[in-house]
Amino acid sequence: MISLGIYEKALPQDISWKERLEIAKKLGFDYVELSIDETDERIERLTWSKKERQDLVQTMSETKIPILSMCLSAHRRYPFGSNDLKKRKKALEIMQQAIDLASDLGVRTIQIAGYDVYYEEKTVSSREFFIRQLKTAVHMAEKKGVMLSVEIMDDPFINSITKFLEIKKQIPSPWLQVYPDIGNLSAWPENDPGYELEKGISHITNVHLKDTLAVKGDFPGKFKEVVFGEGCVDFKGCLATLKRLNYQGPFLIEMWSGKSQEPIKEIEKAYQFLLPILKEVGYEHESKTND
């Protein structure tokens, strides 16, 4: 049986954590992925009090829906590769806080965004800063037994598993792995998704499932909010490849429907699209609604 999760931003936003986890369970998911994005509101989660953390752990226990992974995209605002020393220091501060929060909540994997910089110019120096900072971050994580997993991105810096593996050579730690996004991996024309999954299988900890529109000529691609089945992703081919490679880790449906008019219906539609494909290639999923 596989573990199937849902991204926090797919779920209704202005509700309590208990309500959010209960909805995830009702929809058939096994876990939720927490978002720590670049907004002040979500960065403030890193300073949750001991009681707030204990209350959330208790809520997870009561609902039987854990938070097993964290999407740490706050580094878009404070990137590892920034030319600004203050931002690089802030990036490591955020990293330590995220690791501590993950440890307290039982989060197993922190997804690191594969950007050297996001709002700044990319240079040889930004790559070097990124690698040095990431190396420090990995040492922080291994002390708490938390996995750091780099996401394959909508950005040329790390838009393939091949590029991740070049970074991995510089930081040969078991606590640094890769979190491929099937949508992002498929959208870049230079990538062969099947080959990339084969090449990186021994380093894959989690897999994001979403659809995308491919980068073509002057079109920069579309990496978010593409309806499942209307993009460029060969879900059957990618999932069959992962099954042949004996991948048994978590799958996470990544959506941003939380602020839409009918988020539940959008999630149900995505779930109903993906579940038959997963079953067809040999993956079984037991819905939490059967508990």
Side-chain angles (χ1 to χ4, degrees):
M1 292 290 173
I2 61 165
S3 181
L4 186 62
I6 186 69
Y7 187 35
E8 176 195 342
K9 288 188 176 181
L11 298 161
Q13 299 298 289
D14 297 323
I15 57 177
S16 69
W17 271 106
K18 184 175 182 180
E19 291 171 312
R20 189 172 292 123
L21 297 179
E22 286 177 339
I23 290 172
K25 181 175 182 178
K26 184 178 180 180
L27 290 172
F29 293 101
D30 303 295
Y31 72 98
V32 169
E33 183 166 273
L34 175 72
S35 168
I36 304 292
D37 64 21
E38 61 186 309
T39 63
D40 289 336
E41 176 189 4
R42 289 231 162 86
I43 290 176
E44 286 174 3
R45 290 176 167 184
L46 298 174
T47 59
W48 275 341
S49 67
K50 182 177 181 180
K51 183 179 186 305
E52 287 173 309
R53 298 174 191 220
Q54 290 174 337
D55 287 347
L56 182 50
V57 170
Q58 180 62 32
T59 299
M60 288 188 278
S61 176
E62 291 172 357
T63 58
K64 298 182 181 179
I65 296 291
I67 298 172
L68 295 183
S69 55
M70 175 193 299
C71 177
L72 181 62
S73 53
H75 285 139
R76 281 170 46 145
R77 182 174 167 188
Y78 301 102
F80 279 168
S82 178
N83 193 49
D84 185 334
L85 177 60
K86 289 182 179 180
K87 286 186 178 179
R88 295 201 304 274
K89 287 183 176 180
K90 180 66 173 180
L92 288 179
E93 177 186 326
I94 286 172
M95 188 75 258
Q96 185 63 69
Q97 290 175 323
I99 291 166
D100 291 341
L101 179 61
S103 179
D104 290 344
L105 296 182
V107 170
R108 298 171 184 174
T109 303
I110 297 177
Q111 173 207 303
I112 300 290
Y115 303 117
D116 53 346
V117 291
Y118 190 78
Y119 299 111
E120 301 175 34
E121 181 183 359
K122 295 177 183 297
T123 63
V124 176
S125 292
S126 65
R127 180 181 186 275
E128 181 63 20
F129 285 139
F130 175 85
I131 293 173
R132 290 172 181 262
Q133 295 272 100
L134 183 58
K135 184 176 182 179
T136 299
V138 171
H139 289 324
M140 293 175 175
E142 64 186 355
K143 290 177 182 178
K144 286 291 186 82
V146 175
M147 183 69 68
L148 299 188
S149 203
V150 177
E151 185 182 17
I152 304 306
M153 300 305 296
D154 56 347
D155 177 271
F157 185 66
I158 301 181
N159 63 357
S160 67
I161 295 175
T162 296
K163 287 185 177 180
F164 162 75
L165 292 173
E166 290 302 311
I167 300 293
K168 172 78 172 177
K169 288 178 183 177
Q170 318 306 314
I171 312 171
S173 168
W175 296 98
L176 177 65
Q177 302 296 348
V178 69
Y179 194 144
D181 182 307
I182 296 298
N184 292 346
L185 195 64
S186 300
W188 295 96
E190 63 267 35
N191 288 343
D192 177 332
Y195 171 78
E196 290 292 318
L197 294 170
E198 290 169 350
K199 190 171 184 180
I201 187 60
S202 61
H203 301 286
I204 296 173
T205 60
N206 307 62
V207 173
H208 266 167
L209 299 175
K210 74 175 183 192
D211 217 337
T212 50
L213 297 179
V215 176
K216 292 181 180 179
D218 294 333
F219 180 61
K222 186 176 181 182
F223 294 86
K224 293 176 65 174
E225 299 176 334
V226 176
V227 176
F228 281 89
E230 296 184 7
C232 66
V233 179
D234 179 353
F235 286 100
K236 183 178 177 181
C238 290
L239 292 170
T241 299
L242 287 166
K243 180 63 178 176
R244 171 173 58 81
L245 295 170
N246 201 33
Y247 174 77
Q248 297 295 326
F251 289 97
L252 190 286
I253 297 179
E254 187 176 34
M255 300 175 65
W256 293 265
S257 52
K259 293 184 178 180
S260 69
Q261 292 294 321
E262 297 181 301
I264 304 303
K265 286 187 177 180
E266 289 187 31
I267 296 170
E268 288 176 332
K269 184 177 179 181
Y271 186 89
Q272 290 163 7
F273 172 83
L274 288 167
L275 207 62
I277 301 174
L278 286 162
K279 186 173 182 179
E280 184 179 355
V281 303
Y283 282 117
E284 295 293 332
H285 176 247
E286 182 179 0
S287 171
K288 281 287 183 179
T289 58
N290 294 328
D291 285 0

